[in-house]
């Protein structure tokens, strides 16, 4: 039922209560029937499920099976090594990627704990949780609403609803009946759970409790929004499936081929299959990707961008649309005087005359020693006081005062100046113009100026004064006022936000503004911050559109006004349905469901509500939209480095798999044992693979458009390079080492040749398309540290007897070292030549199409 469309009497009748409140027996009966006034909690997953999900990755399952098979065959040492790798990767995933799902707790903190009600005409303080529909609430300044209420009485009531509706100003409430269908922010005869009374008092009847309140609807939306799978995780799942399918294909082929052709024994074939699994599965890759993302998280936190889940770092770099709340995100969330209009020339009135009125016709500042920047209260009065502070106007004693009241829509104060009683007045322009002594030309002038300020989305106040006899008593009914000027007030955009939006647009990211504010205000701010489309859709327009029509509308609209949490959620969903990677920023409770639904939810850290912060993937500690542009650049850098790392890892994994395959196809002994294969994998993981995560962003990172969300992490070019590099790493080294009589020396040479080739190929992967040896190479200290670490670790394998005994290797001669190094340098040169040739071909194609 829309209670805002009902009279107080009809509301009382519908809820079967009176202005004196419910009897205790009826309250108890309703509480039993309807339940407590609290939000429903979602069922939490047990700890074992939170940890266990990190061990059911497709490739991890393959490794677990390989470990079990090793145990069955009695190779307990190798089984232990495989299980250790699985355990380490799973625990890293749990500790680094867990995300707090505490949005409900934040909503519960917004709920009032106690309430004052009438029960059969008697005041009584009760727990807010015990409220039922039909209770009559007594409300005062500073109270947090414990439930949704229809106001029965309202005495100069101002309610702060910014967190719920996005309104930048407190809402003046009344009891009048509203006849049409209205958005939440315009339901002035209602007050909502979780909002706060800023001034005045009221009596209200509880209409909705718990999950039926507006906050309860937000809570339901939060719990119904399924967690989003980030683009990185989707791409990694695709990659894992590709590796798994290729591995299974190889295994099935080899089982049939070797059994039918060579009649290989079952235990020998089993060992070969396990070796193939250990070789092809890049078991170190998850740990390395986690490390790169973790470094990105740390780097972002130092730049005031707190990322709560690591895959969200990469999502930032793939965003195609940013949907931003207006109040507090794009704007300062601080009402500011931006325009002053003086009377038409000729005039003796100056700006100082207006600031004198601003500084004295007010209630907040009572002493000249008070710091204006630290005052709290009505945002409009604060805006006037901050503007007046620059003129250092005196604070005059108030002789008389007419307080502001919604009935007459102005405030007046009287002051003695030079033995005269001067009346200062501020209020609604249309009211003060009617009370002023104006010519037709003057009235037309003021009306034109008011219209121009309104078109800018500003709230307009008129400032006036009047001279009275010193003994005069001021009355509510004023006349013959002198209009001194107009003040245009708005919550202005942040300069940094304007620059950041331009930078995002240069990077191919569309910025859309979604706000609960009025359409004119939203359009005015949209023009100032540089949004491309000036047209706006209001919440009531969205309600008339089905999902298909909304999907078309959101593409052509950058401004959405008078929106509810449901509207924001629909807008984000419509964009995602078209394949967009959506970022959503906000600071109010009303933003929380959309933040959770978005691919990357971004909350404001200073002015944002706890609910918003907990629903988001990233929190801006400085409330600066410009930080998002920097975070996008960092996200793109991280994804580039992830691609480089994957392109580095896979050739080495495939190369070792090819060794096993080639040996089986030629009916030869396995060239490397599973432990030696694991050594190659882990030594390069521990030393080489981390270096690529420290590569700096390319100079053109923010000049290229967002990558296609459907684009796979491995391009056809990457796959081709992986194939030919793995062959170059494997076959020549295997054929060369197989000529050596001593099998231990042959294994050592083969192992060492793969490690050397990987070290130089890692340098190849610094740039996937450009030359790898450049000036920026010297800036990556991690690159040189990793190469130094590899020399130490690999050197210990070739020189220390205990390591040689564990892994099954021996020392090599200088000539053998030089031959293997030459082979690695040859592979490095071939890859660099391939880059150069492809770049020249691409340049020629561009010239031909130009």
């Amino acid at each position: 039922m829309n209670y805002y469309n009902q009279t107080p009497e009809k509301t009382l009748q519908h809820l079967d209560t009176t202005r004196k409140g419910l009897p205790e027996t009826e309250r108890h009966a309703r509480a039993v029937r309807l339940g407590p006034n609290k939000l429903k909690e979602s069922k939490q997953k047990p700890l074992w499920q939170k940890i266990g999900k990190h061990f059911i990755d497709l490739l991890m399952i393959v490794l677990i099976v390989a470990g079990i098979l090793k145990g069955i065959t009695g190779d307990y040492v190798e089984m232990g090594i495989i299980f250790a790798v699985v355990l380490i990767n799973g625990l890293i995933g749990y500790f680094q990627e867990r995300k707090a799902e505490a949005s409900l707790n934040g909503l519960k903190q917004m709920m009032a704990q106690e309430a004052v009600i009438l029960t059969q005409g008697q005041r009584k303080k009760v727990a807010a949780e015990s409220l039922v529909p039909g209770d009559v609430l007594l409300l005062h300044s500073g109270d947090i609403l414990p439930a949704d209420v229809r106001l029965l009485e309202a005495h100069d009531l101002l309610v702060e609803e910014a967190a719920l509706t996005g309104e930048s100003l407190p809402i003046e409430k009344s009891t009048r009946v509203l006849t049409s269908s209205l958005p939440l922010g315009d339901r002035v005869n209602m007050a909502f759970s979780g909002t706060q009374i800023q001034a005045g008092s009221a009596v209200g009847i509880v209409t909705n409790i718990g999950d039926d309140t507006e906050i309860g609807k937000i809570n339901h939306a939060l719990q119904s929004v399924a967690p989003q799978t980030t683009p990185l995780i989707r791409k990694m799942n695709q990659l894992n499936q590709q590796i798994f399918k290729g591995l299974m294909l190889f295994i099935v082929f080899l089982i049939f081929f070797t059994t039918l052709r060579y009649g290989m024994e079952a235990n020998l074939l089993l060992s070969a299959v396990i070796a193939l699994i250990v070789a092809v599965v890049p078991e170190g890759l998850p740990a390395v990707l986690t490390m790169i993302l973790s470094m990105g998280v740390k780097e972002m936190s130092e730049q005031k961008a707190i990322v709560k889940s690591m895959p969200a770092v990469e999502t930032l770099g793939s965003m195609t649309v940013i949907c931003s709340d207006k109040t507090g995100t794009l704007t300062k969330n601080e009402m500011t005087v931006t325009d002053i209009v003086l009377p038409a020339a000729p005039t003796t009135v100056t700006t100082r005359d207006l600031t004198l009125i601003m500084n004295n016709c007010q209630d907040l500042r009572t002493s000249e020693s008070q710091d204006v920047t630290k005052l709290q209260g009505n945002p409009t009065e604060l805006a006037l006081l901050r503007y007046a502070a620059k003129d250092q106007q005196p604070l005059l004693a108030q002789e008389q005062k007419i307080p502001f009241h919604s009935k007459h829509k102005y405030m007046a104060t009287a002051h003695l100046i030079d033995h005269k009683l001067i009346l200062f007045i501020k209020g609604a322009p249309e009211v003060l113009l009617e009370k002023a002594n104006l010519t037709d030309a003057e009235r037309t002038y003021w009306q034109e100026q008011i219209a121009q300020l309104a078109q800018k989305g500003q709230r307009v106040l008129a400032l006036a004064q009047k001279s009275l006899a010193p003994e005069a008593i001021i009355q509510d009914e004023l006349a013959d006022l002198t209009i001194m000027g107009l003040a245009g007030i708005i919550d202005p955009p942040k300069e940094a936000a304007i620059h950041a939006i331009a930078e995002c647009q240069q990077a191919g990211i569309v910025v859309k503004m979604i706000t609960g504010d009025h359409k004119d205000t939203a359009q005015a701010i949209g023009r100032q911050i540089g949004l491309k489309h000036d047209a706006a859709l209001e919440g009531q327009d969205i309600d008339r559109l089905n999902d298909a029509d909304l999907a078309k509308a959101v593409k052509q609209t950058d401004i959405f006004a008078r929106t509810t949490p449901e509207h924001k959620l629909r807008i984000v969903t419509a964009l995602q349905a078209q394949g967009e990677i959506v970022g959503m920023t906000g600071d109010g409770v009303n933003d929380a469901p959309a933040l959770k639904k978005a691919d990357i939810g971004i909350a404001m850290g200073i002015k944002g509500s706890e609910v918003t912060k907990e629903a988001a993937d990233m929190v801006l500690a400085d409330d600066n939209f410009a930080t998002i542009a920097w975070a996008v650049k960092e996200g793109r850098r991280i994804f580039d480095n992830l691609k480089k790392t994957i392109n580095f890892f896979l050739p080495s994994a495939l190369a070792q798999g090819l060794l096993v395959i080639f040996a089986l196809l030629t009916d030869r002994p396995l060239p490397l044992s599973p432990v030696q294969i694991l050594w190659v994998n882990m030594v390069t993981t521990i030393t080489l693979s981390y270096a690529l995560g420290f590569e700096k962003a390319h100079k053109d990172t923010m000049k290229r458009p967002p990558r296609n969300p459907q684009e796979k992490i491995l391009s056809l070019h990457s796959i081709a390079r992986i194939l030919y590099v793995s062959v170059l790493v494997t076959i020549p080294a295997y054929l060369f080492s197989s000529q050596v009589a001593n099998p231990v020396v042959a294994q050592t040479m083969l192992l060492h040749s793969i490690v050397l080739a990987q070290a130089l190929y890692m340098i190849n992967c610094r740039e996937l398309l450009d030359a790898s040896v450049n000036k920026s190479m010297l800036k990556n200290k991690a690159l040189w540290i990793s190469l130094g670490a590899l020399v130490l670790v690999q050197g210990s394998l070739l020189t220390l007897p205990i390591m040689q005994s564990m892994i099954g290797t021996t020392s090599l001669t200088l000539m053998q070292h030089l031959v293997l190094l030459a082979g690695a340098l040859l592979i490095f040169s071939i890859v660099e030549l391939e880059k150069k040739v492809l770049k020249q071909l691409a340049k020629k194609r561009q010239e031909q199409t130009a």
Side-chain angles (χ1 to χ4, degrees), residues 44-55 90 93-94 98-99 101:
Q44 297 294 315
K45 288 184 179 180
L47 181 63
W48 68 268
Q49 285 188 9
K50 293 180 181 179
I51 297 176
K53 71 178 183 179
H54 295 280
F55 293 92
Y94 169 69
R98 59 183 177 177
K99 179 181 177 182
E101 291 290 343

Side-chain angles (χ1 to χ4, degrees), residues 498-553:
I498 297 173
H499 175 76
I501 287 171
E503 189 174 5
C504 287
Q505 290 172 340
Q506 183 186 34
I509 302 170
V510 177
V511 180
K512 297 180 182 293
M513 183 173 69
I514 310 177
T515 178
D517 246 329
H518 289 278
K519 183 176 181 179
D520 291 342
T521 303
Q523 286 180 304
I525 294 296
R527 286 190 291 268
Q528 292 179 47
I529 62 178
L531 297 186
K532 292 186 175 180
H533 297 104
D534 189 44
L537 271 181
E538 291 188 288
Q540 58 188 4
D541 301 322
I542 296 173
D543 288 333
R544 290 192 286 266
L545 298 175
N546 58 34
D547 290 345
D549 291 336
L550 180 61
K552 296 176 184 176

Side-chain angles (χ1 to χ4, degrees), residues 254 264 266-277 660 664 670:
L254 290 174
M264 189 176 291
N267 62 337
L268 190 59
L269 183 60
L270 181 62
S271 295
V273 168
I274 293 172
L276 182 62
I277 291 172
V660 177
L664 290 174
L670 293 177

